[in-house]
Amino acid sequence: MAKYLKKEKLKEIKRLGNEPLLLLTIVFIILFTSCFVIWPVVRLIALARPSEFLVLFTNSRWARSLANSLFMMVISTVSCTVTAFIFAYTITRLDVPLKRFFRFITLLPIVSPPFVVALSYILLFGVQGIITKGLFGLHVDVYGVFGLWVVQTVTFFPYAFSIIIGVMGKISTNLEYAAYNMGASRWQVFKDVFWPLCRPGVAGGVLMAAINVLTDFGNPIMIGGDLALLPTEAYMQIVGWYDMKTAAILASALMVPSFIIFILNRFWVGRRSYVTVTGKEISLTPFKPHFLVKWGLFTFCSIMSAFVLLVYGSLFIGAFTRAWGYDWSFTMANMGYVWEKFREVWNSIKYAALSSILASLLAMVLAYIVQKKSVGINKFLDFLAVLPSAVPGMFLGLGFVIAFNTPPLKLTGTGLIMVLALMFWNLPTCYSASIAGIQQIGESVEDAALNLGADSFQSFKDVILPLLRIPFLSGFVLSFLRSVTCLSVIIFIYSPRTTVGTASILGLVSNGLWGAAAAFTVVLISIAFSVLLLTNRFLRKHGGSLNL
Amino acid sequence: MYDSSKPFIEFKNVTKTFDSFKALDNITLTIPQGCFMTLLGPSGCGKTTLMRQLAGFSEPDSGDIYIKGIRVNGLPPYKRNTPLVFQEYALFPHMTVKENITYGLKLKNTDKESVGRRFDEMLKMFNLAGMEQRFPKQLSGGQQQRVAFARALIMGQEVLLLDEPLSNLDAKLRVEVRTELRQIQRKLGITTIYVTHDQDEALSMSDLIAVMRAGKIEQVGTPWQIYFKPENRFVADFVGTVNFMDVVISGLFEDRLLINWQGSAISMNRMDYVLNPGEEASLIVRPEYISLRPAANNESADQENSLRGEILFYSFLGRFIRYWIKVKNQTFIVDDSNPSLSGAIEGEVIIALDRNKLHLLRNSKS
């Protein structure tokens, strides 16, 4: 059987000879992706000899960062998942006010640069914090494990949330009623029916939160303080000591858990999450839970949301305040500063737009080939398209620095390297949007076009392309938002000429220029949010929606 | 209706395997010009696969396919001129009704005037006037289906392929559409291949039916042949409801056959069966050709082809009552098409088999 399948694949590959355009496209995609994903990764890992990786365990500082990184990953993932689960449950199952507002709160961190919460947390609870110093007159050290834990929870619970609610929203309440009908109590229904059905979503959420926390660079660099973590230590090695090799070793240590999570997500969770019942059935309104449970969860969501609002509010106020903590008078000086540095904002937009267009195009062609053509290596192409999501952003950036600083591909310092890095970092995001779009196209719609006399190219142009407009757009926008707010990928590859908003903010924060940093952040968030709102309005008109 | 001397579509020894599953096993089938040919069979029998080979969506592993005497193997689907109506219609969701229907003509660079004329014809034929600018999702299921027919027929080809096109309609509409469809097909004289698993559709619409099972054709024939003279137990059982009786041939006469079923003599028309006395065979009896009446207390079944039995169960279906009747050690299904107003019969009954409508199968053939 296996031998037979292999023969079938070979036959498919041989048949490609009849379709030179398709063959050429596939060869191009493989070469292109290998060059900008696999090659940088291989170069980075190969930088140090295998025996040199032992320093991760022998050098006490690196061993500690490894342990710290894993520790942070565990505690932040737990808190993110619990928060996400409560939000998802409240929004899908409870009859409480403010649900739309809660939903909005879960969007905010996704359209923001990764260090927003950390920055704001310093403004609120730091040495000059309104709450610590202003309200209570305390002088506390917020830097370190606890601060980072809070900040990462707020930053990353929305990522887990979006996965959990995707699964939870599809669970038919009829199943719960069926259990009640058989005499189960509320707790038994939760334990025996609801929770098992949620499990794939929760597992997906856990992995999503874990990978984000583990590879997070923005928050630890701002608020981690003395806490040594792998991403920040790698950064320090390069910025402080120009020690590429040690940085590579530290970054590679990140790659291992990251890759494990990727594999788990793909082959374990990915397969399970489609078991949910589909089909049209009328769901009854959810069964009312105990009122203590209901209002308890509501209170939790309200407090969390208030905190998120506080975070963004203080950022906004900070942007228009002369000197945070000392002089609260209104000023436009910070905005003026951003205006002076407008080129960096423009760079952000330019690189994000360019890389996202390219990523969406590549993703669409890839998705089309993987889903609709039998080319013998469909599974491999599929793997190639999602592979970048296994590579932490900072690792990819570092890989680019090492792989492309010498001829024939000397790209360091150019705008092109920024675009390429962001493009491949975003490929999986765009790819899954395109795949979802193509899967929605009826099985035989393309056959119908062929049957009426359209050749492969005409049917792609007249049928597939127009039907993919909306998935294309949503892939593009998601990728754009990620790029504008991205720090980890570009932190090693920007040059003075190609610097972008997020990099500047990091610089401003390390110089203690909170006001300007806040103003810069507000501008970036505004751009991201405007794009999000415009797209959502456009999509709603055309019967689509953005799937964050 | 059709000219059986003019083959229009021919399958010759067509075989197709998916992995290790034999979807088509050496199929040979000729479809005459103007014929309404139905491929009938349970799901997985290969009927849709056979049609897809003709439309060019996949290629047979071996064997040849001819349209009008021209071999079409290897020809891509867009060069075969075999318009197909898909089960789920496969309308282009982003095109209006007009754009959907005229898409094929546009690809052929047909001039505007004749596109308009032919489009208007289709609107009239399928009663779609006023919907030109609607999108598929704004139409009802029945309307979508008519758009799908129009999109295929506007091409003006000599052949039309239909892949279970009625299966997404509700029961009543299905009966309406199948009559309409058959009328249109006769008017246009278009050679049609119709794939279905529904025996009513097959019997009511077709000139010829090919019954398929497990990648093979079991029998090709007119609806009458398929229903009254099935060539094997599978065809008999798949088309309609049937009682099988295991019998032994006891006498061959000029005009009649005498057979023995569990000690009772049954006589039937001789026809042209080739049989030997003493041979075992299956007697095929449709439920509607058995009559029944209540049995008087001590009455024995002594008229021709009569048997005494007991009603086990019945089911009232409006136009008839279906009875399950135990005779000796076999349960017969008997349909009484003239139910009494007062209710079903109960208890002991006499059933009689209509000697003109009995059909024998030699056991070696099943």
Side-chain angles (χ1 to χ4, degrees):
Chain A
M1 187 74 183
K3 205 172 163 193
Y4 182 84
L5 280 175
K6 218 171 184 180
K7 226 165 81 188
E8 193 77 342
K9 299 269 177 247
L10 273 175
K11 236 162 69 186
E12 284 174 3
I13 293 170
K14 272 185 196 147
R15 233 189 352 244
L16 276 179
N18 301 327
E19 298 199 61
L21 186 67
L22 185 60
L23 180 67
L24 224 69
T25 313
I26 292 173
V27 170
F28 171 76
I29 287 175
I30 293 177
L31 287 180
F32 193 47
T33 315
S34 308
C35 176
F36 291 103
V37 180
I38 298 173
W39 177 237
V41 169
V42 169
R43 278 301 304 271
L44 183 56
I45 294 174
L47 206 63
R49 274 180 281 111
S51 57
E52 289 176 292
F53 281 94
L54 283 175
V55 295
L56 278 171
F57 305 103
T58 51
N59 180 312
S60 68
R61 187 167 175 87
W62 307 151
R64 212 169 50 241
S65 353
L66 182 61
N68 285 344
S69 271
L70 294 176
F71 175 70
M72 280 317 296
M73 179 176 90
V74 172
I75 61 168
S76 295
T77 300
V78 169
S79 54
C80 280
T81 313
V82 170
T83 311
F85 188 86
I86 293 175
F87 263 78
Y89 187 81
T90 305
I91 290 173
T92 55
R93 294 290 151 135
L94 295 187
D95 177 28
V96 290
L98 297 179
K99 286 205 290 199
R100 286 175 68 92
F101 168 68
F102 293 154
R103 190 86 219 227
F104 169 78
I105 289 296
T106 64
L107 281 183
L108 275 174
I110 289 182
V111 293
S112 315
F115 43 75
V116 163
V117 182
L119 175 53
S120 185
Y121 191 80
I122 296 169
L123 295 180
L124 284 168
F125 301 102
V127 185
Q128 302 300 334
I130 325 180
I131 294 185
T132 38
K133 187 184 155 200
L135 229 54
F136 299 110
L138 297 169
H139 189 92
V140 291
D141 183 14
V142 294
Y143 300 88
V145 175
F146 183 75
L148 186 59
W149 183 43
V150 172
V151 164
Q152 286 187 326
T153 305
V154 173
T155 309
F156 296 118
F157 91 85
Y159 293 84
F161 166 82
S162 67
I163 303 220
I164 294 176
I165 200 169
V167 172
M168 207 188 268
K170 280 197 199 105
I171 298 173
S172 163
T173 50
N174 292 355
L175 296 173
E176 288 153 70
Y177 274 99
Y180 283 121
N181 185 257
M182 286 184 264
S185 67
R186 284 197 184 96
W187 167 244
Q188 283 168 326
V189 169
F190 181 84
K191 172 173 71 80
D192 298 335
V193 179
F194 188 70
W195 172 251
L197 289 170
C198 285
R199 243 174 350 214
V202 173
V206 164
L207 296 181
M208 188 70 172
I211 190 126
N212 274 293
V213 170
L214 179 71
T215 61
D216 182 24
F217 169 71
N219 289 316
I221 196 81
M222 288 196 187
I223 205 171
D226 292 332
L227 186 70
L229 293 169
L230 288 174
T232 44
E233 287 300 315
Y235 175 73
M236 294 304 183
Q237 285 309 308
I238 290 187
V239 175
W241 309 97
Y242 299 101
D243 183 353
M244 210 52 117
K245 194 185 270 180
T246 311
I249 292 171
L250 294 174
S252 302
L254 267 186
M255 186 76 196
V256 175
S258 170
F259 200 78
I260 292 174
I261 292 172
F262 168 79
I263 295 291
L264 276 179
N265 202 7
R266 200 161 161 64
F267 296 101
W268 181 57
V269 177
R271 238 166 241 180
R272 250 146 239 252
S273 24
Y274 292 103
V275 205
T276 43
V277 188
T278 53
K280 286 171 203 161
E281 46 181 324
I282 302 152
S283 274
L284 302 158
T285 42
F287 194 71
K288 280 195 175 51
H290 194 272
F291 81 98
L292 275 181
V293 173
K294 175 173 156 183
W295 294 110
L297 297 181
F298 174 75
T299 311
F300 178 86
C301 289
S302 303
I303 292 172
M304 198 72 188
S305 301
F307 184 72
V308 173
L309 271 195
L310 195 62
V311 161
Y312 283 84
S314 58
L315 204 65
F316 191 76
I317 294 166
F320 296 98
T321 301
R322 198 169 296 279
W324 190 268
Y326 298 104
D327 182 354
W328 296 97
S329 54
F330 175 84
T331 180
M332 285 301 284
N334 294 324
M335 282 296 159
Y337 176 82
V338 177
W339 180 247
E340 270 170 45
K341 298 271 184 176
F342 187 73
R343 205 194 60 194
E344 292 166 20
V345 178
W346 176 239
N347 276 346
S348 282
I349 298 175
K350 194 170 64 183
Y351 297 142
L354 268 175
S355 61
S356 302
I357 285 182
L358 292 173
S360 317
L361 281 175
L362 179 63
M364 192 161 71
V365 176
L366 253 169
Y368 175 71
I369 294 174
V370 167
Q371 287 279 315
K372 294 281 175 181
K373 300 279 163 194
S374 301
V375 294
I377 50 167
N378 295 45
K379 282 221 172 104
F380 172 71
L381 290 176
D382 181 58
F383 182 76
L384 215 53
V386 293
L387 184 62
S389 62
V391 186
M394 145 171 240
F395 189 100
L396 189 69
L398 202 52
F400 264 59
V401 175
I402 295 164
F404 306 116
N405 64 355
T406 48
L409 266 174
K410 190 169 165 19
L411 300 172
T412 32
T414 62
L416 185 62
I417 197 172
M418 301 282 280
V419 172
L420 284 168
L422 288 172
M423 170 185 170
F424 281 98
W425 185 59
N426 279 313
L427 184 63
T429 308
C430 299
Y431 178 75
S432 44
S434 282
I435 287 279
I438 287 178
Q439 279 170 343
Q440 274 185 3
I441 300 176
E443 188 71 26
S444 42
V445 165
E446 208 191 354
D447 281 349
L450 295 173
N451 182 258
L452 291 169
D455 60 33
S456 295
F457 178 71
Q458 279 168 323
S459 69
F460 183 71
K461 175 175 73 81
D462 293 344
V463 176
I464 301 294
L465 269 188
L467 288 176
L468 282 186
R469 258 187 332 208
I470 285 173
F472 181 85
L473 184 68
S474 58
F476 168 78
V477 169
L478 286 185
S479 158
F480 180 84
L481 297 179
R482 269 164 58 94
S483 304
V484 163
T485 58
C486 170
L487 178 64
S488 59
V489 176
I490 51 96
I491 193 69
F492 296 122
I493 54 178
Y494 75 89
S495 69
R497 204 161 49 78
T498 63
T499 182
V500 292
T502 45
S504 306
I505 296 169
L506 182 62
L508 291 169
V509 170
S510 39
N511 292 328
L513 296 169
W514 308 114
F520 236 120
T521 312
V522 166
V523 168
L524 284 187
I525 294 178
S526 308
I527 293 170
F529 226 84
S530 321
V531 170
L532 184 67
L533 284 181
L534 280 175
T535 332
N536 245 342
R537 177 169 290 185
F538 175 83
L539 285 178
R540 207 160 289 160
K541 244 193 205 159
H542 290 79
S545 67
L546 209 56
N547 206 348
L548 285 171
Chain B
M1 265 0 96
Y2 63 94
D3 186 349
S4 57
S5 68
K6 278 192 204 155
F8 193 84
I9 289 160
E10 292 162 278
F11 295 94
K12 288 189 178 160
N13 309 103
V14 173
T15 295
K16 174 84 187 169
T17 40
F18 295 113
D19 294 343
S20 58
F21 172 68
K22 228 174 199 172
L24 297 175
D25 190 356
N26 200 20
I27 296 264
T28 297
L29 178 67
T30 301
I31 299 158
Q33 184 152 25
C35 174
F36 194 114
M37 164 71 86
T38 297
L39 306 178
L40 176 67
S43 55
C45 72
K47 53 193 193 299
T48 296
T49 310
L50 187 62
M51 181 179 270
R52 292 178 72 86
Q53 310 301 307
L54 179 62
F57 295 139
S58 71
E59 288 289 330
D61 302 337
S62 63
D64 303 308
I65 302 169
Y66 296 86
I67 301 179
K68 269 176 119 177
I70 297 162
R71 189 171 176 273
V72 294
N73 290 54
L75 214 60
Y78 49 89
K79 287 188 180 156
R80 294 206 186 188
N81 297 325
T82 50
L84 193 155
V85 177
F86 292 83
Q87 182 171 9
E88 63 280 22
Y89 315 141
L91 299 179
F92 306 124
H94 59 301
M95 296 187 192
T96 61
V97 166
K98 181 165 188 179
E99 286 165 339
N100 259 290
I101 295 178
T102 56
Y103 179 65
L105 293 179
K106 204 186 88 192
L107 289 171
K108 290 202 150 54
N109 293 318
T110 317
D111 64 279
K112 263 207 170 128
E113 195 199 336
S114 69
V115 170
R117 186 171 43 75
R118 284 157 79 174
F119 176 63
D120 289 340
E121 270 172 39
M122 287 300 137
L123 283 189
K124 237 171 86 189
M125 187 182 291
F126 289 102
N127 215 356
L128 286 166
M131 321 228 163
E132 296 90 329
Q133 298 310 320
R134 296 219 195 147
F135 286 94
K137 66 175 173 210
Q138 296 168 301
L139 301 176
S140 70
Q143 289 165 338
Q144 290 184 14
Q145 210 241 11
R146 300 207 302 269
V147 174
F149 278 129
R151 186 175 70 176
L153 277 175
I154 200 172
M155 303 302 287
Q157 300 299 342
E158 295 166 87
V159 59
L160 178 64
L161 310 183
L162 304 166
D163 184 6
E164 309 217 18
L166 307 186
S167 58
N168 287 329
L169 301 179
D170 62 63
K172 209 156 196 175
L173 197 55
R174 209 178 301 167
V175 174
E176 264 173 55
V177 176
R178 78 185 185 212
T179 325
E180 234 173 284
L181 184 61
R182 176 63 162 151
Q183 282 166 354
I184 290 171
Q185 188 266 338
R186 283 201 177 168
K187 200 169 88 188
L188 301 176
I190 188 168
T191 309
T192 303
I193 302 185
Y194 188 94
V195 163
T196 187
H197 62 264
D198 182 322
Q199 36 156 328
D200 289 342
E201 281 174 22
L203 293 172
S204 65
M205 298 169 85
S206 321
D207 291 315
L208 290 174
I209 298 173
V211 183
M212 295 181 68
R213 173 171 64 159
K216 286 191 167 131
I217 292 183
E218 296 283 325
Q219 185 178 356
V220 183
T222 65
W224 271 261
Q225 289 166 334
I226 299 288
Y227 193 74
F228 291 117
K229 303 276 172 208
E231 285 173 6
N232 57 45
R233 284 178 84 116
F234 174 77
V235 174
D237 198 26
F238 189 74
V239 181
T241 309
V242 74
N243 297 295
F244 291 109
M245 296 163 76
D246 295 321
V247 297
V248 178
I249 311 296
S250 51
L252 296 158
F253 304 94
E254 190 100 334
D255 60 338
R256 65 196 180 102
L257 275 168
L258 211 56
I259 49 191
N260 182 321
W261 176 72
Q262 298 187 11
S264 297
I266 293 170
S267 98
M268 61 179 287
N269 294 346
R270 176 70 179 86
M271 310 222 238
D272 47 4
Y273 294 111
V274 183
L275 295 157
N276 305 308
E279 185 179 336
E280 291 185 356
S282 301
L283 186 65
I284 289 183
V285 194
R286 299 279 182 201
E288 61 271 33
Y289 302 120
I290 306 177
S291 58
L292 83 166
R293 58 184 172 83
N297 254 352
N298 291 315
E299 185 183 1
S300 61
D302 43 12
Q303 283 122 318
E304 189 191 65
N305 291 359
S306 286
L307 300 160
R308 193 186 167 102
E310 188 196 354
I311 291 177
L312 298 175
F313 184 71
Y314 72 88
S315 157
F316 176 59
L317 292 150
R319 20 191 194 106
F320 63 88
I321 299 182
R322 171 157 293 182
Y323 290 98
W324 281 261
I325 298 172
K326 186 161 174 123
V327 180
K328 297 188 179 169
N329 56 10
Q330 183 167 349
T331 303
F332 283 79
I333 296 173
V334 176
D335 289 349
D336 179 3
S337 59
N338 193 9
S340 139
L341 286 178
S342 56
I345 307 170
E346 282 173 88
E348 299 275 309
V349 286
I350 303 284
I351 64 168
L353 316 182
D354 181 345
R355 67 176 288 171
N356 297 311
K357 301 247 170 72
L358 300 178
H359 177 57
L360 263 184
L361 278 182
R362 296 186 73 170
N363 273 357
S364 57
K365 272 206 156 180
S366 64

